[in-house]
Amino acid sequence: METDTAMAVNTTQDETRTHSDQDAWRELARQFRVDSIRVAANANSGHPTSSMSAAELMAVLVSKYFRYRVDEPKSANNDHLIFSKGHASPLYYSILLAIGAIDEPEMETYRLKGSRLEGHPTPVLPFVDVATGSLGQGLPIGVGLALTGKRLDRLDYRTWILCGDSEMAEGSIWEALAAASFENLDNLTAIIDVNRLGQTGPTRYEWDLDVYANRIGSFGWHTIEIDGHDVAAVDAAYAEAIATKGKPTAIIARTIKGKGVAWEENKNGFHGKPVDDSDDAIRELGGRSSIRIVPPSPDEEAHAHVFAAGELKLPTYEKGAKVATRKAFGDALAALGAADESIVVLDGEVGNSTYTETFGNRFPERFFQMYIAEQQMISAAVGMQVRGWKPFSATFAAFLSRAYDFIRMAAVSQANLYLCGSHAGVSIGEDGPSQMGLEDIASLRAVHGSTVLYPSDANQTARLLALMANNKGINYMRTTRQATPVIYGADEKFEIGGSRVLRSTDTDQVTIVGAGITLGEALKAADTLAADGIRARVIDLYSVKPLDTKTLIAAARATGRVVTVEDHWAEGGLGEAVFSALAEAGATVEGKLLAVRIMPGSATPEEELQMADIDADAIVKAARALVGGKDSK
Amino acid sequence: METDTAMAVNTTQDETRTHSDQDAWRELARQFRVDSIRVAANANSGHPTSSMSAAELMAVLVSKYFRYRVDEPKSANNDHLIFSKGHASPLYYSILLAIGAIDEPEMETYRLKGSRLEGHPTPVLPFVDVATGSLGQGLPIGVGLALTGKRLDRLDYRTWILCGDSEMAEGSIWEALAAASFENLDNLTAIIDVNRLGQTGPTRYEWDLDVYANRIGSFGWHTIEIDGHDVAAVDAAYAEAIATKGKPTAIIARTIKGKGVAWEENKNGFHGKPVDDSDDAIRELGGRSSIRIVPPSPDEEAHAHVFAAGELKLPTYEKGAKVATRKAFGDALAALGAADESIVVLDGEVGNSTYTETFGNRFPERFFQMYIAEQQMISAAVGMQVRGWKPFSATFAAFLSRAYDFIRMAAVSQANLYLCGSHAGVSIGEDGPSQMGLEDIASLRAVHGSTVLYPSDANQTARLLALMANNKGINYMRTTRQATPVIYGADEKFEIGGSRVLRSTDTDQVTIVGAGITLGEALKAADTLAADGIRARVIDLYSVKPLDTKTLIAAARATGRVVTVEDHWAEGGLGEAVFSALAEAGATVEGKLLAVRIMPGSATPEEELQMADIDADAIVKAARALVGGKDSK
């Protein structure tokens, strides 16, 4: 049993420790405090006091319970440890130093330029699974890891999450608590460091541990209340957590912020700054030491479960048929899932709208219902991809905004996420503005290293999704609610960063750039313009990020006039991407950016496009004005 | 006492009702069902089955407990009713019809173009306080209203929130439950319509009312479990809620989705669509009726509390001093608060970083600590502005992303919000990417009707904040962590939609556009370029939205070359705003968009600017390349 795993100990500086030695844990905790103080002092910034409160909690954990091969941080059987309170990074790095993951020279680079020891942990360090620092994210990500352990990998690694008490106010924590008990995640342990003080003052419940225990208990968790500085109690709590089956355990630990330095203990005003008189503080604590430990070893025999995989057979659609891209997304996702056993799907209880239900019906073991909890849906996906799974998460594009902070942080975590937002734009019609994704392109483009795809027909959707599934980073596909005509053949090729010129002559007078629902409007507009004798080039900008600047520049140079049209707010969308790329290329144009500039209400899809001035008529009018305007000069 | 208020009744179609008549409530509920079915059938879309489950809950409420003057929807003593489950809009409009707020012809416009009866309620209707339809928002907004009743208005109006059971999975609901009990909001009642079925299938806890009651009870609420179709039980529950002092009450009602139409009752697959065979359904229910009721009257005597106000004395700063704009924001906010008694401030437990603590120390009665719960912070602000207060909410710019869906919806709610995001950009330095707001300009620009201001010095911050405080819509100010030089005099004038040309000659060769932290870099760069004989115009683009296109166009035409520089991702920020505005004006330029394109780590602020290529050196290099490039043509 894992609790019996011996703590291996290196003897340094004549120190010899014995198995389960409480004195050793106290010594290690003391060292963690000293190391936290000195690195923050060295950097002249950081959160030593928030580190010091959890020193015993972590000393016992890494000495006796946390099964980890330091030499192989990605080993399949390693436990996971996430600092949901990422600001306690001095403590985290003190652990890494003690287990030999980093050395003393690196320890002294904390928060300095180029250091892997950033202000808050990030996966620049191979020991860090995910970036934290935005509170309330570690626990929901831990739910994703624990779910993966139970239902995907089917390995017995444990996930340990160190939470702060302040972050218990975040709703995402309660989404996680609900999901974890519902899924019977007894491989998940939350360690709540109740040090009573937040950044500006006391937390809402200070040291009322019962409030936490009652609430977390009512959420279906086993709870244990302890003095977080009593190593025997901490030890017993971990043993009890491991022994508790069928439900996750929360250890609610009363601790003292700044513990160990008399003049800062349990006092307000010392958050997020180096300890005053750090040399004195270290002296008070007994000075520096260099205890090194080896955490218990994981079982090396077990292998992660692998699902069966077959051949890829993407769906195809007849040209001229009317198919919603959201439907094609669902079909293609199921097809990709059949061929790639690492694909898993998370639903925000709208799977019959996004069409992830197609995958769910076919591969129920790889389908995760996260209910109406978008933050947890994204967090779980982040946890799953840590373990090498490819998580696709889908909801209405509008509701991805609920998880924006989680997507932002996923990029810092270097995560590979696959997102789909359906019901984009005013063209959803009757449901009204609350359901219309009109800011998704802007917000998802503004994520580091993201990819934003916006297909206009069913065949293109399937092809692009296949490409997206092999792309790294934060990937986003925008789909349309209503059925639109299939305009591409089933074997046409597309690429991430590509575009498609659909109408073109050598004497085009204006370029029209659309994507998704507006591409059909652009084509209709081109027909109308042609009847007037105005030659319009039409570009399908299905890859909104990265952008096919080459094709855009060529069109701009050839026509001198560009109309962009998108079912999205005017800010941060397709139009701004195009016009700033052209300006950077020195490809000067007269431009018109057609986008949604009114607050829409309910109406039919056609009426919505018309009222927002993004339909074929609006494009014709804009193109005529540009062509006429230039000619009349 | 309010429970004794008589139910006034109009007699129509020979129907006469008596006080507290259970038959009358049942009849009204029956009518609500019929009306819900027929409007959805008429629109061929909508959520009748989700409306039918709550018919008795609402019939009793509006007949006996909901104190409301239909002829004066903004009356200070009116109760508030929010459909957190906004998709039950057919039920909501059925109520409005019954109380005479809308008439039958308007009822038939449901979901049609131009109708005030949108798919989900919005304040296009004067009876609607806030838009809903993104689940989990009504209750946290209700907390804002109830807080306002207790601590600001000091009136005894009640706030009633109809919640769905699916939305109980949203973390924001639990943020609200925690805040409401902590603030002893006994003027708030949550009515939870537990109809067991979500959009795609059963909810997580189906009809296990005890799970809800235990959890909500552990969060400090009084809970009452009832059969939501038993009007006597519903009546008793409301009376108990009103009688319960010191804590909010949740009525947890077991209901049947589709109740009243045998072939859809409690069956999956009927979410969000008209009832099958609606004529038969209406016949089964007993046919149409036109019961009209008058809700109980609120007390008309009470007046909202008014705080004392003094004179406006904005802070001023010496030119050349170094002051962080976040500090100036705090100073100015306190000054504005002294003069405008309607200003209130909400903190996300970082008030000593954003400097809202300056206001909080001076005006504790108008300062609200929302702890680390950004969704609740924004929701409470939305609730407060419903009642005419001016809520300023501040946290790190990065953490506003946590509440993005709430800000998006606030725009649909036509809310006036005043947001501040501090710690913008890589220039915060050592704390690392999790704390750096790098997507805030893109995401906040992409909010309908928003205003985005980004001051570069302390005097400008104070002046702009004074303007912002009198602006409508969603207002956002971005502030900088570290101290920067004061470059403007204290009496300089700025305007929303303005900019400031800081360097200019008639023969400028290049325009440099910066704002906030990059303005200082732009000025340094201009000095370096001047020494090289390159004349650069420098524009302080402090109003990022709306944009001073006139000044930008003039500069672009004069110089032909534009470098934009921002401490923000390249997408959706200042640069894209500038270059697309120029393209739309036909003001053609060669451009360079300097922005953050690497994932930053920890370093000093100066090193961060340098590594991200947005410091003076990078600007000089870009300007030289443009000038050289054009000259060498």
Side-chain angles (χ1 to χ4, degrees):
Chain A
M1 216 184 116
E2 54 269 52
T3 51
D4 294 326
T5 308
M7 180 182 70
V9 175
N10 288 343
T11 54
T12 55
Q13 300 190 340
D14 304 325
E15 290 166 344
T16 307
R17 307 282 163 219
T18 57
H19 172 69
S20 294
D21 184 345
Q22 295 185 8
D23 287 336
W25 298 332
R26 284 188 204 100
E27 270 300 288
L28 185 59
R30 194 193 61 74
Q31 175 173 302
F32 286 168
R33 290 197 172 90
V34 169
D35 285 350
S36 296
I37 292 168
R38 69 186 177 89
V39 296
N42 188 48
N44 196 27
S45 76
H47 297 75
T49 57
S50 301
S51 296
M52 292 150 78
S53 56
E56 282 84 7
L57 290 167
M58 290 299 102
V60 177
L61 181 74
V62 298
S63 298
K64 185 168 171 186
Y65 295 97
F66 178 60
R67 298 166 302 175
Y68 195 75
R69 281 191 58 181
V70 178
D71 59 336
E72 205 179 326
K74 304 300 179 200
S75 173
N77 292 286
N78 275 351
D79 280 0
H80 293 271
L81 170 61
I82 297 176
F83 268 45
S84 196
K85 52 177 291 188
H87 56 287
S89 60
L91 175 60
Y92 183 73
Y93 301 137
S94 299
I95 294 171
L96 293 189
L97 182 65
I99 67 174
I102 60 173
D103 60 16
E104 180 54 36
E106 183 162 22
M107 189 69 176
E108 290 172 8
T109 66
Y110 176 58
R111 286 180 170 243
L112 302 183
K113 179 181 170 180
S115 173
R116 299 191 301 174
L117 312 191
E118 298 190 21
H120 297 74
T122 79
V124 169
L125 271 173
F127 316 100
V128 177
D129 289 325
V130 292
T132 51
S134 180
L135 290 171
Q137 301 207 7
L139 188 62
I141 291 170
V143 168
L145 280 163
L147 257 180
T148 306
K150 285 271 176 198
R151 286 177 50 188
L152 296 172
D153 288 336
R154 304 179 187 177
L155 291 173
D156 82 339
Y157 55 81
R158 295 194 67 82
T159 298
W160 309 89
I161 311 291
L162 179 65
C163 296
D165 48 351
S166 284
E167 68 178 323
M168 300 305 287
E170 289 284 17
S172 55
I173 290 285
W174 300 92
E175 292 182 14
L177 290 165
S181 61
F182 187 72
E183 301 281 355
N184 305 312
L185 301 180
D186 53 18
N187 53 349
L188 177 66
T189 307
I191 306 151
I192 306 171
D193 178 18
V194 185
N195 67 20
R196 196 188 71 84
L197 290 169
Q199 173 173 326
T200 65
T203 61
R204 207 179 242 151
Y205 307 112
E206 304 202 29
W207 272 327
D208 190 346
L209 267 60
D210 290 348
V211 168
Y212 294 104
N214 289 339
R215 293 183 185 186
I216 297 169
S218 80
F219 269 64
W221 285 52
H222 179 58
T223 60
I224 308 170
E225 296 178 51
I226 57 167
D227 172 349
H229 302 304
D230 175 346
V231 291
V234 173
D235 180 30
Y238 290 135
E240 186 175 326
I242 287 169
T244 301
K245 298 302 174 196
K247 52 167 67 176
T249 295
I251 298 167
I252 302 151
R254 183 187 196 278
T255 64
I256 294 168
K257 195 162 178 174
K259 170 78 175 174
V261 174
W263 56 94
E264 300 203 355
E265 278 188 2
N266 192 28
K267 286 203 181 73
N268 202 23
F270 293 106
H271 180 94
K273 52 180 75 164
V275 167
D276 286 348
D277 308 312
S278 60
D279 288 342
D280 290 350
I282 292 169
R283 217 172 295 126
E284 172 169 309
L285 278 161
R288 286 177 59 168
S289 57
S290 52
I291 303 165
R292 298 293 176 269
I293 62 160
V294 178
S297 274
D299 171 12
E300 292 296 313
E301 301 298 309
H303 294 285
H305 176 75
V306 178
F307 291 92
E311 261 180 68
L312 177 60
K313 198 168 175 310
L314 280 180
T316 60
Y317 305 90
E318 288 286 315
K319 260 189 172 180
K322 286 192 113 182
V323 183
T325 56
R326 62 178 170 136
K327 172 73 167 51
F329 163 82
D331 296 345
L333 183 57
L336 288 162
D340 182 346
E341 70 282 6
S342 71
I343 288 178
V344 296
V345 174
L346 299 99
D347 179 21
E349 229 277 270
V350 287
N352 53 352
S353 287
T354 60
Y355 282 103
T356 55
E357 70 173 11
T358 313
F359 180 102
N361 290 335
R362 199 157 154 202
F363 307 106
E365 288 184 306
R366 289 187 273 147
F367 184 77
F368 296 85
Q369 182 52 263
M370 306 313 293
Y371 298 92
I372 312 271
E374 296 80 6
Q375 300 182 126
Q376 180 58 65
M377 177 177 72
I378 298 300
S379 301
V382 171
M384 289 172 180
Q385 64 83 42
V386 165
R387 301 281 319 182
W389 299 87
K390 266 187 205 170
F392 282 70
S393 311
T395 184
F396 285 29
F399 304 141
L400 283 175
S401 65
R402 194 62 153 264
Y404 191 40
D405 191 26
F406 295 77
I407 298 168
R408 173 185 83 88
M409 285 296 296
V412 184
S413 292
Q414 303 175 16
N416 300 312
L417 290 191
Y418 305 88
L419 310 175
C420 176
S422 68
H423 294 66
V426 298
S427 56
I428 66 163
E430 293 81 357
D431 267 344
S434 63
Q435 318 293 302
M436 296 171 173
L438 286 165
E439 57 294 305
D440 55 321
I441 297 180
S443 56
L444 273 301
R445 285 179 67 235
V447 168
H448 183 66
S450 65
T451 296
V452 177
L453 304 175
Y454 183 19
S456 60
D457 92 344
N459 282 323
Q460 189 182 45
T461 302
R463 292 278 165 178
L464 287 176
L465 196 70
L467 296 172
M468 184 167 119
N470 289 307
N471 204 42
K472 297 287 183 191
I474 311 297
N475 296 277
Y476 173 56
M477 177 172 279
R478 183 182 218 225
T479 64
T480 299
R481 176 172 178 270
Q482 71 265 35
T484 51
V486 177
I487 60 169
Y488 291 110
D491 49 6
E492 295 213 38
K493 296 272 186 295
F494 305 96
E495 52 185 323
I496 292 174
S499 70
R500 178 61 53 100
V501 179
L502 286 170
R503 301 280 170 87
S504 173
T505 70
D506 288 345
T507 58
D508 289 334
Q509 296 161 284
V510 61
T511 300
I512 303 169
V513 184
I517 190 77
T518 61
L519 184 68
E521 302 299 314
L523 290 169
K524 277 188 260 175
D527 290 342
T528 304
L529 290 166
D532 285 1
I534 296 176
R535 292 173 303 284
R537 185 168 300 189
V538 177
I539 298 178
D540 175 6
L541 199 68
Y542 59 80
S543 177
V544 181
K545 182 184 176 189
L547 207 62
D548 181 1
T549 47
K550 199 176 147 191
T551 299
L552 290 165
I553 291 165
R557 293 218 161 111
T559 65
R561 306 175 189 93
V562 174
V563 177
T564 62
V565 55
E566 62 197 297
D567 193 358
H568 184 273
W569 298 127
E571 296 83 8
L574 181 156
E576 290 198 353
V578 169
F579 289 119
S580 48
L582 292 178
E584 284 219 277
T588 58
V589 292
E590 291 185 271
K592 181 69 185 173
L593 193 161
L594 297 177
V596 181
R597 295 171 193 268
I598 56 162
M599 177 56 75
S602 291
T604 67
E606 297 70 28
E607 288 167 344
E608 297 278 2
L609 292 174
Q610 183 265 321
M611 288 190 290
D613 270 338
I614 56 171
D615 66 349
D617 286 350
I619 299 168
V620 167
K621 200 174 148 197
R624 276 190 189 137
L626 284 185
V627 172
K630 195 150 190 174
D631 287 352
S632 67
K633 256 188 196 167
Chain B
M1 213 184 116
E2 55 268 52
T3 50
D4 293 327
T5 307
M7 180 181 72
V9 175
N10 287 342
T11 55
T12 57
Q13 300 189 340
D14 305 325
E15 289 166 346
T16 307
R17 307 282 162 219
T18 56
H19 173 70
S20 294
D21 184 344
Q22 295 185 10
D23 287 336
W25 298 332
R26 284 187 205 100
E27 269 300 288
L28 185 59
R30 194 193 60 76
Q31 175 173 302
F32 286 167
R33 289 195 173 91
V34 169
D35 285 350
S36 296
I37 292 169
R38 69 186 177 90
V39 297
N42 189 48
N44 197 26
S45 77
H47 297 74
T49 57
S50 301
S51 295
M52 291 150 78
S53 56
E56 282 83 8
L57 290 168
M58 290 300 102
V60 177
L61 182 73
V62 297
S63 298
K64 184 167 171 185
Y65 295 98
F66 178 59
R67 299 165 302 175
Y68 195 73
R69 281 191 57 181
V70 178
D71 59 336
E72 205 179 325
K74 303 300 180 200
S75 172
N77 292 288
N78 276 350
D79 280 0
H80 293 271
L81 170 61
I82 296 176
F83 268 46
S84 195
K85 51 178 290 188
H87 55 288
S89 59
L91 175 60
Y92 183 73
Y93 301 136
S94 299
I95 295 170
L96 292 189
L97 181 66
I99 66 175
I102 61 173
D103 59 17
E104 180 55 37
E106 182 161 22
M107 189 69 176
E108 289 172 8
T109 66
Y110 177 57
R111 285 180 170 243
L112 302 183
K113 178 181 171 182
S115 174
R116 300 191 302 174
L117 311 191
E118 298 191 19
H120 297 74
T122 79
V124 168
L125 271 173
F127 316 100
V128 177
D129 290 325
V130 293
T132 51
S134 180
L135 290 171
Q137 301 207 7
L139 189 62
I141 291 170
V143 169
L145 280 163
L147 257 180
T148 305
K150 284 271 177 197
R151 287 178 49 189
L152 295 172
D153 288 337
R154 304 179 187 177
L155 291 173
D156 83 338
Y157 55 81
R158 295 194 68 81
T159 298
W160 310 89
I161 312 290
L162 179 65
C163 295
D165 47 352
S166 284
E167 69 178 323
M168 300 305 286
E170 288 284 16
S172 55
I173 290 284
W174 300 90
E175 292 182 15
L177 290 165
S181 61
F182 187 72
E183 300 282 355
N184 306 312
L185 300 181
D186 53 18
N187 53 350
L188 176 66
T189 307
I191 305 151
I192 306 170
D193 177 20
V194 186
N195 66 21
R196 197 188 72 84
L197 291 169
Q199 174 174 325
T200 66
T203 61
R204 206 179 243 150
Y205 307 112
E206 304 202 27
W207 273 328
D208 191 345
L209 267 60
D210 289 348
V211 168
Y212 294 104
N214 288 339
R215 293 183 185 187
I216 297 169
S218 80
F219 269 65
W221 286 53
H222 179 58
T223 60
I224 308 170
E225 296 178 51
I226 58 167
D227 172 350
H229 301 305
D230 174 347
V231 292
V234 173
D235 180 29
Y238 289 135
E240 186 174 326
I242 287 169
T244 301
K245 299 301 174 197
K247 51 167 68 175
T249 295
I251 297 167
I252 302 152
R254 183 188 195 278
T255 63
I256 294 169
K257 196 162 176 172
K259 170 79 174 174
V261 175
W263 56 92
E264 300 203 354
E265 278 189 2
N266 193 28
K267 286 202 182 73
N268 202 22
F270 293 107
H271 180 94
K273 52 180 74 163
V275 168
D276 286 349
D277 308 313
S278 59
D279 288 342
D280 289 350
I282 291 170
R283 217 171 296 126
E284 172 169 309
L285 279 161
R288 287 177 59 169
S289 57
S290 51
I291 304 165
R292 298 292 177 266
I293 62 161
V294 178
S297 274
D299 171 13
E300 292 296 315
E301 300 299 310
H303 294 284
H305 177 75
V306 178
F307 291 92
E311 262 180 67
L312 176 60
K313 197 166 175 312
L314 280 180
T316 60
Y317 306 90
E318 288 287 313
K319 261 190 172 179
K322 287 191 113 183
V323 183
T325 55
R326 62 176 169 137
K327 171 74 167 51
F329 163 80
D331 295 344
L333 182 57
L336 288 162
D340 182 346
E341 72 281 5
S342 71
I343 288 178
V344 296
V345 174
L346 299 99
D347 178 22
E349 229 278 89
V350 287
N352 53 352
S353 286
T354 60
Y355 282 102
T356 55
E357 69 173 11
T358 313
F359 180 101
N361 290 335
R362 199 158 155 200
F363 306 107
E365 287 184 305
R366 289 188 273 148
F367 184 77
F368 295 85
Q369 182 53 264
M370 306 313 293
Y371 297 93
I372 312 272
E374 295 80 6
Q375 300 181 128
Q376 180 58 66
M377 178 176 71
I378 298 300
S379 301
V382 171
M384 288 171 179
Q385 64 83 41
V386 165
R387 301 279 320 180
W389 299 86
K390 267 187 204 170
F392 282 70
S393 310
T395 182
F396 285 30
F399 304 141
L400 283 176
S401 65
R402 195 63 153 265
Y404 191 39
D405 191 25
F406 295 78
I407 298 168
R408 174 185 83 86
M409 285 296 295
V412 184
S413 292
Q414 303 176 15
N416 299 314
L417 290 190
Y418 305 87
L419 310 175
C420 176
S422 68
H423 294 66
V426 299
S427 56
I428 66 163
E430 293 81 357
D431 268 343
S434 63
Q435 319 293 301
M436 295 171 174
L438 285 165
E439 57 293 305
D440 55 321
I441 296 179
S443 55
L444 273 300
R445 284 180 66 235
V447 168
H448 183 66
S450 66
T451 297
V452 177
L453 304 175
Y454 184 17
S456 60
D457 92 344
N459 282 324
Q460 190 182 44
T461 302
R463 291 278 166 178
L464 287 176
L465 196 70
L467 295 172
M468 184 168 120
N470 289 308
N471 204 41
K472 297 288 182 190
I474 311 297
N475 296 278
Y476 174 56
M477 178 172 279
R478 184 182 217 225
T479 64
T480 300
R481 177 173 178 270
Q482 71 265 35
T484 52
V486 177
I487 61 170
Y488 291 111
D491 49 5
E492 296 214 38
K493 296 271 185 294
F494 305 97
E495 51 185 325
I496 292 174
S499 71
R500 178 62 54 100
V501 180
L502 285 170
R503 301 281 170 87
S504 172
T505 70
D506 288 345
T507 58
D508 288 335
Q509 297 162 283
V510 60
T511 300
I512 304 169
V513 183
I517 190 77
T518 62
L519 184 68
E521 302 299 314
L523 291 168
K524 277 188 260 174
D527 291 343
T528 304
L529 289 165
D532 284 1
I534 296 175
R535 291 171 304 283
R537 184 169 300 189
V538 177
I539 297 179
D540 174 7
L541 199 68
Y542 58 81
S543 176
V544 182
K545 182 184 176 189
L547 207 62
D548 181 1
T549 47
K550 198 176 149 193
T551 299
L552 291 165
I553 291 165
R557 295 219 161 110
T559 66
R561 306 174 189 94
V562 174
V563 177
T564 62
V565 54
E566 62 198 297
D567 193 357
H568 183 274
W569 298 126
E571 296 83 8
L574 181 155
E576 290 198 352
V578 168
F579 289 120
S580 48
L582 292 178
E584 285 218 276
T588 60
V589 291
E590 291 184 272
K592 181 71 185 172
L593 192 161
L594 297 177
V596 181
R597 295 172 194 267
I598 56 162
M599 178 55 77
S602 291
T604 65
E606 297 70 28
E607 289 166 343
E608 297 278 2
L609 292 174
Q610 184 266 321
M611 288 190 290
D613 271 339
I614 55 170
D615 66 348
D617 286 350
I619 300 168
V620 166
K621 201 173 147 197
R624 277 190 189 137
L626 284 184
V627 173
K630 195 150 192 175
D631 287 353
S632 67
K633 255 188 197 167

